[in-house]
Amino acid sequence: TRKEAVLAQRRLALDALFEKCDNEGSGLLERGEVERALSRYKEGAEGGAINRAWECLGPPRPSLSRGDFHVLLQAVISELPPEGGQEGGFDRLLQFLAESAERSLAERSRGTKRRKWLHQIHRAALTGGSSLEPVYRAVFQTLHRDAEAHGNNKLISASIALLEGSDRLRYTACTAEDAPYVLNKELTRDMEKGVSFTAMDDGKPVHVPRVRLHGNVQFWNTLRPDEERKGSFVAVPLRDPCGRAIGVLGVDTLREPQERNIFLRHEIEFYQGVGNTFSLAFQHVLSLKNILCIVDSATSWLYSRAPSVRSVTTYLMEPAGETGSDYTLRKMMVLDSQTGRSRLLSSPASLRRRDHLFRCSTARGAKSTR
């Protein structure tokens, strides 16, 4: 029990350190930066142990995920000589790395705001009633807020393209100004302009500082003159939990008239975080849709064998309150007694704990049952 408690404390400490190092919320750490920080531990005296620890991650990769970071530091601790016990070595290593990753007040404030906005994207998926529309809205609001607060107040446009098959990207959402030109458009691998596919194939963002000079960027608005095709473009790959490509998040500054349209490194790292958060939100919504399909099949089977059933209502649980400590039930689907198939509700109503129909209570403070 003590060992499990120690491991749980370690995981929490490593999570806190990872978030401190990943100030922009990208979900990844640059391998080179982690290597430089570890190489300075004890002024390089433990270089051999640290090099052996790196081997546990397998072939070198340019960035480390949260899980990679956990595995690496646990391996470093196991390789270090047991001076004062493993716990003492673990605490000293984390303290050294935390001091190495110390940020300025402005950077910490920027990171705090960005994590709050990323959480709003995640919450939009949890409370959106199996719809992607609130998630899309939260993504674009987050990008606009960040451009105003941390991007020198530059004008941006953004789009999300989801992969269909293996060689077609369909633009399913974009900022309002670009909707007439971008929405529902298709980009295929055999088209000449394929920087988005490069980002997906490489698994990392592609930054085009000068889109006019690049020659491999697709301009959907053909009415825009060549002299106005100025600005930068960033293509961020979207991946599912298994690491498979599912689409691309694109952000550009073509609408920005002034010479402040270059994306800085901290902005691109934050866009990676937005892409990762959207990918998780997308998978959550997709799971809810699959659950509803299964329930629809089940109710159809039930109706075919018990036609006297006249009402089947499907609710999905959603978090409620700012902290998510409570929940509500969202009325998603009802049985159509004429056809025996379930019908999705276009505006699902919420059933709160304090007024739901399944609670019955007796007078004078008796127990309530649910």
Side-chain angles (χ1 to χ4, degrees):
T1 302
R2 182 181 181 279
K3 183 178 179 180
E4 290 177 357
V6 169
L7 291 176
Q9 290 176 345
R10 281 191 179 186
R11 285 193 293 270
L12 292 174
L14 289 172
D15 279 339
L17 177 60
F18 182 87
E19 292 189 2
K20 186 171 187 177
C21 296
D22 180 27
N23 189 65
E24 315 309 332
S26 70
L28 297 169
L29 299 179
E30 292 294 328
R31 179 189 177 105
E33 293 185 358
V34 179
E35 284 181 334
R36 285 191 292 272
L38 287 173
S39 67
R40 294 193 296 268
Y41 184 59
K42 293 186 178 180
E43 298 181 351
E46 303 295 351
I50 291 173
N51 288 336
R52 290 192 297 273
W54 276 106
E55 295 176 0
C56 71
L57 293 180
R61 63 195 79 176
S63 56
L64 304 181
S65 66
R66 185 184 297 263
D68 295 334
F69 187 69
H70 279 230
V71 171
L72 174 64
L73 293 195
Q74 294 283 11
V76 170
I77 292 300
S78 65
E79 292 288 347
L80 291 176
E83 300 175 8
Q86 274 202 355
E87 293 311 308
F90 179 82
D91 292 338
R92 284 192 294 273
L93 177 63
L94 257 65
Q95 182 179 359
F96 171 80
L97 293 176
E99 292 173 354
S100 301
E102 195 59 48
R103 308 282 181 169
S104 67
L105 179 60
E107 289 174 324
R108 294 198 302 272
S109 175
R110 184 179 68 206
T112 300
K113 287 181 180 179
R114 284 176 165 172
R115 290 189 185 281
K116 178 182 176 181
W117 294 333
L118 292 178
H119 176 72
Q120 290 173 352
I121 299 174
H122 175 67
R123 186 170 177 82
L126 298 181
T127 60
S130 77
S131 172
L132 277 174
E133 290 302 321
V135 179
Y136 288 140
R137 193 179 308 116
V139 167
F140 297 140
Q141 286 176 349
T142 292
L143 294 173
H144 279 302
R145 288 171 181 168
D146 189 75
E148 292 175 0
H150 309 124
N152 200 18
N153 200 30
K154 56 177 170 278
L155 294 176
I156 65 163
S157 299
S159 62
I160 293 175
L162 297 180
L163 188 63
E164 295 182 350
S166 60
D167 59 358
R168 180 182 290 106
L169 284 168
R170 183 179 297 277
Y171 287 83
T172 57
C174 65
T175 44
E177 298 81 6
D178 298 305
Y181 314 105
V182 177
L183 203 58
N184 291 322
K185 288 290 196 305
E186 292 184 359
L187 184 69
T188 59
R189 285 187 183 273
D190 56 6
M191 295 172 68
E192 295 181 0
K193 316 298 185 181
V195 68
S196 296
F197 285 102
T198 301
M200 284 200 310
D201 294 340
D202 294 345
K204 59 183 180 181
V206 174
H207 180 209
V208 182
R210 294 283 187 268
V211 294
R212 186 180 179 184
L213 304 177
H214 189 269
N216 203 25
V217 176
Q218 176 69 42
F219 292 98
W220 294 111
N221 184 2
T222 57
L223 301 178
R224 178 179 280 130
D226 288 345
E227 60 272 15
E228 293 183 9
R229 293 181 177 181
K230 301 177 181 179
S232 300
F233 174 68
V234 177
V236 179
L238 305 175
R239 295 187 173 274
D240 66 12
C242 297
R244 295 169 299 202
I246 61 171
V248 171
L249 167 68
V251 187
D252 67 70
T253 58
L254 269 69
R255 294 193 303 115
E256 173 55 56
Q258 301 184 28
E259 291 296 327
R260 56 182 181 184
N261 48 26
I262 300 296
F263 291 110
L264 302 179
R265 177 182 173 182
H266 69 83
E267 293 178 280
I268 298 174
E269 290 179 351
F270 177 61
Y271 297 158
Q272 282 183 277
V274 173
N276 291 338
T277 306
F278 171 80
S279 298
L280 293 174
F282 177 79
Q283 294 301 318
H284 177 79
V285 172
L286 189 63
S287 297
L288 294 182
K289 290 181 180 294
N290 291 337
I291 289 172
L292 291 174
C293 287
I294 294 171
V295 174
D296 178 37
S297 298
T299 53
S300 177
W301 177 89
L302 176 65
Y303 182 81
S304 67
R305 285 156 179 77
S308 58
V309 172
R310 286 290 177 265
S311 175
V312 177
T313 305
T314 304
Y315 293 85
L316 289 179
M317 193 173 77
E318 294 182 352
E322 291 298 323
T323 62
S325 56
D326 201 357
Y327 67 88
T328 61
L329 293 174
R330 183 71 72 94
K331 187 177 180 180
M332 299 298 303
M333 203 162 56
V334 294
L335 176 69
D336 186 339
S337 59
Q338 301 297 322
T339 63
R341 300 305 301 262
S342 295
R343 175 172 55 86
L344 281 171
L345 301 178
S346 57
S347 300
S350 294
L351 192 64
R352 296 167 296 183
R353 177 187 289 271
R354 62 175 177 267
D355 58 11
H356 74 64
L357 306 177
F358 308 116
R359 170 183 291 177
C360 54
S361 57
T362 59
R364 300 181 180 276
K367 291 182 179 180
S368 64
T369 60
R370 293 188 292 275

